[in-house]
Amino acid sequence: QVQLVESGGGLVQAGGSLRLSCAASGRPFSSYAMGWFRQAPGKERSFVAGIWWSSGSTFYPDSVKGRFTISRDKAKNTVSLQMNSLKPEDTAVYYCVADVRVIAGTYEASYWGQGTQVTVSS
């Protein structure tokens, strides 16, 4: 099992920035891709960003490319998501995940944190 605990959510105005952090622990995850998903009210969860723990290589959907940056700190076992130029449509619960995979063309993950709320006001 991998345990994931998010922090850093909150309320921010449109155009502002927010940084989410995720503390990871448990079974070794050096071979995993870590990442973030989000789920807005009434919508399906969607993939936001991913990073290979070992290499640091990152991947994003087009919707956030250029605005969001994912990073990891091996020494602290943390994954972070820097979100800039935030828009009201970025409002969602953001989940830290481990073992990100693409299954039938869709991003999935094996381990999930409890989520942290991000609200962007217009």
Side-chain angles (χ1 to χ4, degrees):
Q1 289 287 338
V2 176
Q3 290 78 44
L4 304 164
V5 179
E6 304 97 334
S7 60
L11 174 64
V12 64
Q13 288 189 333
S17 299
L18 208 58
R19 185 177 181 87
L20 306 182
S21 292
C22 172
S25 61
R27 65 176 297 171
F29 40 81
S30 58
S31 63
Y32 288 167
M34 312 289 284
W36 294 86
F37 279 70
R38 67 184 179 187
Q39 186 165 23
K43 295 188 177 182
E44 292 187 355
R45 66 189 182 194
S46 61
F47 173 72
V48 173
I51 185 167
W52 286 98
W53 185 263
S54 58
S55 68
S57 178
T58 60
F59 46 102
Y60 306 90
D62 289 341
S63 58
V64 305
K65 204 173 286 185
R67 296 193 299 125
F68 290 8
T69 303
I70 188 172
S71 61
R72 56 91 171 94
D73 186 326
K74 284 186 171 181
K76 297 181 179 179
N77 278 357
T78 58
V79 178
S80 297
L81 184 68
Q82 177 67 41
M83 304 184 291
N84 299 326
S85 303
L86 283 163
K87 306 174 182 179
E89 51 263 42
D90 293 318
T91 295
V93 177
Y94 283 70
Y95 297 91
C96 179
V97 298
D99 193 18
V100 178
R101 303 181 184 209
V102 178
I103 300 174
T106 302
Y107 285 99
E108 299 286 350
S110 301
Y111 304 98
W112 294 73
Q114 82 285 356
T116 186
Q117 177 70 46
V118 171
T119 303
V120 184
S121 63
S122 58

